[in-house]
Amino acid sequence: MVLAGACSKEENVLVVDYKGDPVDKTKTGGWLGAGLILGTELAERMCVMGIAMNLVTYLVGDLHLSNSQSATVVTNFMGTLNLLALLGGFLADAKFGRFLTVAIFSMIAALGATLLTISTSVKNMQPPPCDNFRLMQHGCIPASGGQLAMLYASLYTIALGAGGIKSNCSGFGSDQFDPKDPKEEKAMIFFFNRFYFCISIGSLFAVTVLVYLQDNVGRGWGYGISAVAMALSVMVLVAGTPKYRYRVPEGSPLTVIWKVLYLAFKQRKVAYPNDPNELEGYFTANVAHTEKFRCLDKAAISVVGNRSSPEKQSEKRSSTVTEVEEVKMVVKLLPIWATCILFWTIYSQMTTFSVEQATYMDRRITGSFLFPSGSLSVFLFITILTFTSLNEKLLVPIAGRITHNPQGITSLQRIAVGLFFSMLAMAVSAIVEKKRRDASNNENNSISVFWLVPQFFLVGAGEAFAYVGQLEFFIREGPAWMKSMSTGLFLATVSMGFFFSSLLVTLVDKVTKRTWITNNLNKGRLDYFYWMLAILGAVNFAVFLVLARRHEYKVEREIQEIELKDDKVEEAVKGMDV
């Protein structure tokens, strides 16, 4: 398969078949190729959600880890998964291409799911059983270092594989359609709708069927199905090799960013030129030069050195004004990026403490059937689907009439709504947890597990706005050809959100001496932890509003740059007339 080469800009990218020849649209791509790729994303969602949404109950109930340690394991797993998506995107852009990257990382995910199946099925991989560990808080033997090592190895193998799939699957699917062809461009829009549908269906299947099997039949069965699904998806993906269209790797934007930052630091003592037009590539720049973050301009200063050989001349080559300005665009996004992190910290509570809360509540539905704790996330995904549909068919058209904006509301306004819902969710979570704790301690009674539905509903509604808003903001406001980098920025907020949750839990444990988050939630004050998140959310929301009001959208900025150029031309003409 000939898939080597590089192109500087998106419009010049070469699309080939599996032999490296120009594509024949009648034989490659389209819905046949895209449909096979959707199967990989479906399997990945089943695998990851089937693990993440119910893992905390296994860590506490079977491995006898503390609630805080279990929550940290889950959030570190999800944080690492999203962070490794950056690695997958880099490898695909720089060397392997999307198909090969998805195929390799799918096999890695299948291996990890197999290891997890073995880890949860073999008795020697678990400590001796112990009844009522959550209430006793002592007397049970926790998992040994060797047992945890096997668990961590399987989890982080899955994180590596799923990260590579997450960063490339949607891009590889969209490669099957030609955006210059009106019919295929329309089909591409439907592809993204179906892609999100597959994500939702895979997640719903995971938190219902797979979680039920894990709780009532055996962990090995639940994880084993995920392993088989991943293995089958690899075979289906590889079987479709002749039917795909392959986009030649363009080179990673991370390389450009690293080069600009490295040269700017290396040449930090070099004096600025008297006129910006002395910077490398000033007159041929695709992006107008700006005075913001002027320190980065030093990367575009040509330094005269020993150029006796082509190799040394290449080493001395500076960045261009276009490259420097594109990096500035990314830097300008970082303040908004930072305020998006806390949303995912709050979201992570739905996979950890909220699930553990459910184990203390009345989960009976009919007869002896118990509603699985990990299946509460079904309300999260149903809410996301509902609000996503309402956004497109009802809320956006209504908002468009009010704001006279075709998008209805801007991407930053979407993020603001999501942050507000998340802040409200934590306040509701704190109130419900206090009610649950008081009922258990004072009345010796367990309230219904469905008291937790409102917090899942609010976080789901928040995600429907925040997810779309963040992804749209980073892609639209970032450089046009750095879409993978923009997607990476979004995934990094998710990753940092989970890691920040781990940090908060560790700090709260240390400061409160484990009085807030205890093994027995009835003796702890988890509601205080939720109130802390609600207060942090309020502060973060206020900071976001200040930053959002100051943000200048790229389209507005480009119009101003064009007007500025026109003014300069007019001044130059007047000067010539005089």
Side-chain angles (χ1 to χ4, degrees):
M1 187 184 298
V2 183
L3 293 176
C7 301
S8 60
K9 295 295 175 187
E10 190 173 346
E11 59 268 19
N12 297 324
V13 170
L14 181 64
V15 180
V16 298
D17 63 14
Y18 77 108
K19 293 180 180 179
D21 299 325
V23 296
D24 181 348
K25 288 186 180 181
T26 62
K27 297 180 180 179
T28 61
W31 277 114
L32 177 58
L36 297 174
I37 296 165
L38 288 176
T40 303
E41 182 59 31
L42 180 68
E44 184 268 336
R45 284 293 87 189
M46 285 173 51
C47 180
V48 173
M49 290 296 103
I51 294 168
M53 292 301 180
N54 201 37
L55 181 60
V56 70
T57 60
Y58 173 73
L59 298 174
V60 175
D62 293 78
L63 298 189
H64 309 148
L65 303 184
S66 67
N67 278 321
S68 56
Q69 185 180 358
S70 299
T72 300
V73 170
V74 176
T75 50
N76 283 346
F77 164 65
M78 292 298 292
T80 303
L81 188 155
N82 285 282
L83 194 62
L84 287 172
L86 296 176
L87 173 64
F90 174 81
L91 292 176
D93 288 341
K95 183 68 177 176
F96 297 119
R98 288 170 179 151
F99 167 75
L100 200 56
T101 305
V102 171
I104 292 172
F105 281 83
S106 294
M107 288 187 281
I108 293 173
L111 173 63
T114 302
L115 291 175
L116 185 61
T117 303
I118 295 171
S119 173
T120 55
S121 300
V122 178
K123 291 185 177 180
N124 290 338
M125 291 291 100
Q126 303 162 38
C130 184
D131 294 331
N132 296 322
F133 170 71
R134 290 179 174 86
L135 300 178
M136 290 170 54
Q137 299 192 67
H138 58 80
C140 297
I141 301 174
S144 65
Q147 292 167 338
L148 289 177
M150 178 65 173
L151 176 72
Y152 292 151
S154 57
L155 286 178
Y156 287 104
T157 301
I158 293 170
L160 176 61
I165 298 170
K166 180 185 287 290
S167 57
N168 291 289
C169 207
S170 61
F172 186 44
S174 65
D175 288 345
Q176 308 312 306
F177 304 96
D178 182 2
K180 296 178 183 179
D181 184 325
K183 286 186 177 180
E184 293 201 5
E185 183 182 22
K186 186 176 181 180
M188 188 190 297
I189 296 173
F190 284 108
F191 167 77
F192 283 113
N193 290 337
R194 294 178 186 181
F195 181 81
Y196 193 79
F197 179 77
C198 283
I199 289 177
S200 302
I201 291 298
S203 300
L204 284 173
F205 181 82
V207 300
T208 53
V209 177
L210 294 185
V211 167
Y212 177 81
L213 290 174
Q214 292 166 19
D215 285 354
N216 296 279
V217 179
R219 294 274 171 174
W221 282 97
Y223 299 143
I225 291 175
S226 296
V228 171
M230 283 305 312
L232 289 174
S233 73
V234 174
M235 290 187 281
V236 170
L237 181 72
V238 174
T241 299
K243 301 297 181 181
Y244 302 132
R245 299 174 191 172
Y246 303 87
R247 193 174 288 255
V248 174
E250 306 172 58
S252 174
L254 289 175
T255 305
V256 175
I257 294 173
W258 167 250
K259 179 184 175 183
V260 170
L261 296 178
Y262 170 73
L263 288 175
F265 177 77
K266 183 180 179 182
Q267 299 177 178
R268 64 190 182 279
K269 295 182 180 179
V270 176
Y272 287 105
N274 295 326
D275 197 309
N277 61 23
E278 296 179 31
L279 297 173
E280 185 76 22
Y282 180 85
F283 293 104
T284 58
N286 297 323
V287 184
H289 176 261
T290 61
E291 291 297 323
K292 287 186 177 181
F293 305 110
R294 195 164 174 242
C295 59
L296 295 177
D297 287 344
K298 292 194 173 184
I301 298 175
S302 297
V303 179
V304 179
N306 182 5
R307 301 195 178 188
S308 57
S309 66
E311 291 78 7
K312 290 187 176 182
Q313 184 176 351
S314 176
E315 289 174 4
K316 296 289 182 181
R317 189 173 298 153
S318 59
S319 297
T320 64
V321 168
T322 297
E323 291 173 335
V324 170
E325 290 301 321
E326 286 175 336
V327 172
K328 287 182 182 180
M329 287 184 190
V330 175
V331 173
K332 289 174 185 175
L333 302 179
L334 294 182
I336 296 291
W337 175 87
T339 57
C340 292
I341 291 174
L342 194 65
F343 174 85
W344 298 105
T345 299
I346 290 173
Y347 175 90
S348 70
Q349 309 314 310
M350 301 302 105
T351 66
T352 53
F353 294 126
S354 293
V355 176
E356 187 60 17
Q357 278 178 276
T359 62
Y360 289 80
M361 303 172 79
D362 184 3
R363 296 184 287 126
R364 291 173 297 176
I365 297 180
T366 55
S368 60
F369 180 78
L370 296 179
F371 189 86
S373 300
S375 292
L376 276 169
S377 298
V378 72
F379 298 106
L380 180 78
F381 296 118
I382 289 175
T383 305
I384 293 170
L385 286 172
T386 302
F387 270 83
T388 302
S389 300
L390 287 175
N391 280 344
E392 298 301 322
K393 296 180 180 179
L394 184 63
L395 299 180
V396 169
I398 293 174
R401 295 192 195 101
I402 298 173
T403 63
H404 304 292
N405 184 338
Q407 295 175 268
I409 57 176
T410 65
S411 54
L412 289 177
Q413 288 170 339
R414 289 177 186 268
I415 296 172
V417 174
L419 292 177
F420 178 79
F421 272 126
S422 67
M423 176 179 62
L424 189 60
M426 286 298 95
V428 170
S429 299
I431 294 170
V432 171
E433 169 57 15
K434 187 176 187 306
K435 179 179 178 63
R436 184 208 64 77
R437 181 177 177 275
D438 290 345
S440 296
N441 292 337
N442 301 332
E443 304 170 18
N444 196 24
N445 184 33
S446 298
I447 64 174
S448 172
V449 73
F450 296 108
W451 274 95
L452 296 176
V453 171
Q455 62 203 58
F456 280 89
F457 171 83
L458 289 169
V459 171
E463 185 181 355
F465 284 96
Y467 189 104
V468 175
Q470 289 177 30
L471 192 57
E472 179 185 358
F473 176 76
F474 292 127
I475 289 178
R476 283 179 177 269
E477 296 301 296
W481 75 283
M482 289 190 179
K483 288 184 180 179
S484 60
M485 181 64 209
S486 300
T487 305
L489 275 174
F490 166 68
L491 294 174
T493 63
V494 181
S495 175
M496 292 300 105
F498 280 99
F499 283 134
F500 188 55
S501 177
S502 299
L503 177 62
L504 281 180
V505 169
T506 302
L507 291 175
V508 166
D509 243 11
K510 188 173 183 180
V511 172
T512 65
K513 298 180 180 179
R514 297 192 175 184
T515 57
W516 283 16
I517 304 172
T518 59
N519 289 342
N520 183 351
L521 291 183
N522 292 337
K523 296 184 178 180
R525 295 311 305 253
L526 184 61
D527 53 325
Y528 289 172
F529 181 74
Y530 284 149
W531 278 123
M532 181 190 72
L533 285 175
I535 294 170
L536 287 175
V539 174
N540 182 72
F541 183 65
V543 173
F544 172 83
L545 291 179
V546 172
L547 294 173
R549 286 178 64 87
R550 294 179 178 178
H551 181 76
E552 186 178 47
Y553 282 100
K554 188 168 71 172
V555 175
E556 298 171 353
R557 192 164 59 245
E558 288 172 349
I559 292 173
Q560 290 176 1
E561 288 169 357
I562 292 171
E563 292 174 347
L564 183 61
K565 284 183 179 179
D566 291 342
D567 291 342
K568 287 183 176 180
V569 170
E570 288 179 7
E571 289 176 6
V573 171
K574 289 178 181 178
M576 292 173 65
D577 291 341
V578 173

